[in-house]
Amino acid sequence: MTPTADPDTAPRPRGHACVQSYLATLDNSPGVYRMLDAESRVLYVGKARNLKKRVSNYAKPSGHSGRIARMISETASMMFLTTRTETEALLLEQNLIKQLKPRYNVLLRDDKSFPNILVAKDHPFPQIRKHRGAKTEKGAYFGPFASAGAVNRTLNQLQRVFLLRNCTDSVFASRSRPCLLFQIKRCSGPCVGRISEADYAASVRDAEDFLKGKSSGLQEALAVEMQAASEAMEFERAAGLRDRIRALTQVQSAQGINPRGVAEADVVALHMEGGQACVQVFFIRAHQNWGNRDYYPKTGSGAEAPELLQAFLGQFYDNKEPPRLILLSHDIEDRELMEKALSQKAGRRVELAVPQRGEKAELVENATRNARESLGRRMAESAAQGKLLAGLAEAFGLDAPPKRVEIYDNSHIQGSHAVGAMVVAGPEGFLKSQYRKFNIRGDSLTPGDDFGMMKEVLTRRFQRLLKEDPDRASETWPDLLLIDGGAGQVGAVAEIMADLGVEDLPVVGVAKGIDRDAGKEEFHRPGERPFALRHNDPVLYFVQRLRDEAHRFAIGTHRAKRAKAMGATPLDEIPGVGATRKRALLTHFGSAKAVSRAGLADLKAVEGISDSLAETIYGFFHERG
């Protein structure tokens, strides 16, 4: 009698046989599928209009690209989730990809928000400023801009032409004479009554028209107004209007690359080479080019251009509002489905187009050229970075060039406002999205105890890593730790890592050498004699750059924390007093100290402060004595 295998202990099929085993239980519903390896790690997330048909394609033994064939061979199990529509499946697919980061999917690594220009509308004389994040404040938003630099340039132009204020409401309320911006003709001085509320409101409307692309009509209106002022013998006003027209003309002449026939669009262009990809995104708003940004998505072990670009669009617009028109360098899979998903997200129609001629095609060609040049520069930099990492491995006796180097540093002033900082470098240079800052919160630490601070930072860092990825399957585990310090710091770090059970990570301390001169650094490894590198060794300069970047990031974090603490007031501790009410109180009374001395009737007179909140504020300071 031949024994039968126990189904619980029998080896599970892999590859095509594994995929085939699921077909009998699948129906024709739309949905999302996940392919997992033998250790239940997600290899790939995909969506399907018909799950059974889609999965049956993977069950075929031939006809797959090398990438898909490798993925199928590693598949040991699958998971499925049905949806009502294919659009829902597409949105769910992109959410799962961003959350799970599967190895064979295209992954967008950098997904930060973009800055906007905000014309605040909660003050009689609106402030114009840069804004990033959720659009919760009352006012008009213009954007997105590709970078903070693009916003700052536009704000500078707006100040020159329209003389709008950028000071905070509290500074505005405390002015008794015009500031420097008024003297250099960058502000109209509303804080001291140099312009009426009606005239200032007209300037705000003109600035909004400019940001909406209506600058030509604005220039004509200013010319008419200047002529009228001149005829009325108001020569000073006419001269001011003349200066504004000149500034506006200069701005327009500097924007010759702006498209005339495209009012609002994102231009998305892809270039692939050597297994790497670059996507350039240009932002066109109000017939103006508001800058561009390049992205380097992971190609999922060899995805083709249509799949890569579709995945990029889904992840890129996951937390951003898409424009009405998106111009593409390549057509994508399921373009109509992506249009439907983006339109559903935006609450209006969104069109995807691959232009073949005319101005739109020129915009795409320009973006594609930028993508090609950016990728070329990145590949050249990566080659140089690879040589430096190989030199680092040789200098420090590592088995292979490190793919992730973490550099740690602390910053404080006599123990106050202490912070720890971690910066990360790899084959692509500094990975700023991976930087981390740590607010030192150990109450038992002696002020200035660098060993204690480093212990807290490393303990928090690696306890979390051990919890989230104990098998070290992700790319978040470092191959090398660089510590700013000598033998004492390295010995302390080695003890910390031993207590955590992580004793196989190389640790190197970088200490200032003789006379603390750069170029004479000594390197320390646990249990070994210190050593130095040649004065002109490129690896030495590389390590100096790594250490200096950690030092810069730590000091910047410390300064930000100290500045925030200096700006804190007792009002922050009062329940019900948020940023808006705090601003109203400080504007009305001038300082937190004046608020603490105010009577109940005076507090009730502040706009936005209810009777009950006024009693809470009064009681807070009264109880505090």
Side-chain angles (χ1 to χ4, degrees):
M1 184 175 184
T2 305
T4 59
D6 183 347
D8 293 332
T9 59
R12 300 172 63 182
R14 292 193 187 185
H16 300 289
C18 171
V19 177
Q20 182 75 36
S21 67
Y22 288 96
L23 289 178
T25 59
L26 290 176
D27 58 19
N28 299 321
S29 301
V32 172
Y33 59 92
R34 280 173 275 181
M35 308 180 83
L36 293 79
D37 65 12
E39 298 180 7
S40 297
R41 292 176 297 203
V42 180
L43 296 170
Y44 184 80
V45 175
K47 60 101 179 107
R49 178 183 303 152
N50 184 315
L51 279 172
K52 188 164 188 173
K53 287 185 178 179
R54 181 71 173 182
V55 174
S56 66
N57 289 333
Y58 292 116
K60 297 176 182 177
S62 60
H64 304 292
S65 66
R67 164 178 168 256
I68 299 301
R70 288 194 304 273
M71 179 184 73
I72 295 173
S73 68
E74 296 177 31
T75 300
S77 63
M78 296 184 71
M79 296 177 65
F80 304 91
L81 183 61
T82 59
T83 59
R84 292 179 300 174
T85 65
E86 191 181 4
T87 304
E88 287 184 4
L90 175 62
L91 296 174
L92 178 59
E93 175 199 35
Q94 299 305 326
N95 288 338
L96 288 174
I97 289 173
K98 293 184 72 173
Q99 177 185 345
L100 300 173
K101 297 179 172 56
R103 175 178 161 192
Y104 284 97
N105 280 100
V106 174
L107 300 177
L108 175 59
R109 307 181 198 184
D110 185 2
D111 196 23
K112 296 180 180 178
S113 62
F114 294 104
N116 290 265
I117 286 178
L118 169 62
V119 181
K121 297 295 180 67
D122 56 355
H123 193 280
F125 294 93
Q127 173 198 21
I128 186 167
R129 67 176 186 271
K130 179 171 60 182
H131 176 88
R132 192 190 291 270
K135 298 178 181 179
T136 56
E137 297 184 52
K138 183 179 179 182
Y141 293 87
F142 300 91
F145 288 80
S147 64
V151 172
N152 292 336
R153 286 191 296 272
T154 304
L155 286 174
N156 184 49
Q157 294 167 358
L158 291 171
Q159 282 184 287
R160 290 170 54 204
V161 177
F162 304 105
L163 311 181
L164 302 183
R165 73 178 182 96
N166 64 358
C167 59
T168 63
D169 292 348
S170 57
V171 170
F172 181 94
S174 64
R175 295 298 306 181
S176 59
R177 59 179 181 175
C179 66
L180 179 61
L181 287 176
F182 176 82
Q183 307 296 338
I184 63 173
K185 297 182 180 180
R186 293 290 187 272
C187 180
S188 53
C191 56
V192 290
R194 297 301 178 93
I195 186 173
S196 69
E197 187 174 333
D199 289 343
Y200 189 87
S203 295
V204 171
R205 287 194 298 272
D206 289 344
E208 291 180 342
D209 285 342
F210 173 79
L211 289 169
K212 293 175 183 175
K214 302 176 182 178
S215 55
S216 58
L218 171 61
Q219 193 164 359
E220 293 172 5
L222 288 175
V224 171
E225 191 176 349
M226 180 186 70
Q227 183 64 30
S230 178
E231 292 174 357
M233 311 282 280
E234 298 176 3
F235 298 118
E236 185 175 351
R237 182 165 173 268
L241 290 166
R242 178 203 61 201
D243 293 341
R244 290 176 63 182
I245 292 172
R246 285 178 177 174
L248 186 58
T249 302
Q250 185 177 355
V251 169
Q252 291 171 330
S253 64
Q255 294 179 339
I257 61 172
N258 294 335
R260 296 181 178 180
V262 180
E264 175 187 330
D266 283 353
V267 184
V268 183
L270 166 69
H271 180 74
M272 301 179 68
E273 184 178 339
Q276 300 185 49
C278 176
V279 178
Q280 278 276 345
V281 184
F282 278 72
F283 302 96
I284 309 296
R285 298 295 185 274
H287 296 279
Q288 300 174 39
N289 185 338
W290 282 358
N292 64 296
R293 184 176 290 190
D294 48 5
Y295 294 88
Y296 302 92
K298 279 185 146 183
T299 59
S301 300
E304 298 297 325
E307 180 185 353
L308 195 152
L309 201 54
Q310 176 170 317
F312 175 86
L313 292 173
Q315 295 174 53
F316 182 76
Y317 291 111
D318 180 61
N319 64 344
K320 302 175 184 68
E321 182 177 347
R324 299 180 186 277
L325 175 63
I326 300 174
L327 302 176
L328 304 177
S329 60
H330 299 73
D331 206 353
I332 63 172
E333 301 173 353
D334 302 321
R335 192 204 304 182
E336 292 182 0
L337 178 64
M338 181 62 72
E339 283 183 342
K340 188 174 180 181
L342 294 178
S343 299
Q344 180 177 313
K345 175 180 175 58
R348 51 173 166 73
R349 185 170 185 269
V350 174
E351 179 188 357
L352 300 179
V354 186
Q356 301 299 318
R357 62 183 66 86
E359 186 179 37
K360 294 177 181 177
E362 291 176 4
L363 289 172
V364 172
E365 183 181 351
N366 178 47
T368 303
R369 184 179 65 254
N370 277 269
R372 181 173 60 252
E373 294 172 353
S374 295
L375 184 59
R377 288 192 297 268
R378 184 180 178 87
M379 292 175 72
E381 292 169 0
S382 295
Q385 186 81 355
K387 291 181 181 179
L388 290 172
L389 291 172
L392 200 65
E394 182 180 353
F396 295 155
L398 307 181
D399 295 334
K403 295 182 179 179
R404 181 183 175 99
V405 182
E406 293 185 356
I407 310 98
Y408 292 87
D409 197 5
N410 298 325
S411 183
H412 59 89
I413 295 180
Q414 296 181 342
S416 64
H417 311 306
V419 296
M422 177 189 85
V423 305
V424 183
E428 298 166 357
F430 288 112
L431 307 176
K432 296 194 175 183
S433 63
Q434 300 289 312
Y435 287 14
R436 295 293 179 267
K437 52 189 175 185
F438 301 84
N439 288 314
I440 305 297
R441 44 186 193 228
D443 298 330
S444 60
L445 290 179
T446 304
D449 181 4
D450 285 328
F451 289 175
M453 293 179 195
M454 187 61 67
K455 180 176 182 180
E456 179 178 332
V457 168
L458 291 174
T459 300
R460 285 164 56 186
R461 164 65 177 155
F462 284 93
Q463 277 182 345
R464 182 169 182 174
L465 263 183
L466 289 167
K467 179 180 178 180
E468 295 180 349
D469 186 18
D471 298 327
R472 306 191 188 185
S474 70
E475 299 177 352
T476 55
W477 275 88
D479 303 307
L480 172 66
L481 304 184
L482 286 182
I483 309 297
D484 186 21
Q489 281 88 344
V490 169
V493 169
E495 291 181 14
I496 295 166
M497 303 303 285
D499 291 342
L500 293 169
V502 185
E503 302 181 59
D504 57 337
L505 289 183
V507 178
V508 176
V510 185
K512 292 287 198 316
I514 302 172
D515 300 325
R516 299 182 64 83
D517 286 343
K520 299 181 180 179
E521 285 83 357
E522 290 185 341
F523 300 96
H524 299 260
R525 295 196 62 176
E528 298 182 8
R529 293 173 59 86
F531 64 96
L533 297 175
R534 296 192 324 272
H535 182 71
N536 60 350
D537 193 330
V539 175
L540 176 61
Y541 299 141
F542 181 49
V543 174
Q544 289 172 352
R545 275 174 42 215
L546 298 177
R547 180 200 58 200
D548 291 347
E549 174 68 1
H551 195 53
R552 178 201 66 78
F553 185 59
I555 290 177
T557 303
H558 166 72
R559 286 175 177 167
K561 183 178 180 181
R562 190 177 67 203
K564 184 176 180 181
M566 292 173 64
T569 73
L571 300 178
D572 297 321
E573 303 174 26
I574 304 176
V577 177
T580 302
R581 287 170 176 159
K582 175 183 172 183
R583 190 185 310 122
L585 288 165
L586 292 174
T587 300
H588 187 90
F589 293 103
S591 68
K593 192 171 185 179
V595 175
S596 69
R597 294 174 176 174
L600 185 58
D602 295 329
L603 291 168
K604 291 180 179 180
V606 179
E607 184 178 355
I609 304 298
S610 64
D611 291 351
S612 60
L613 182 55
E615 292 173 1
T616 300
I617 297 169
Y618 183 81
F620 176 84
F621 287 111
H622 180 72
E623 290 171 4
R624 290 165 63 97

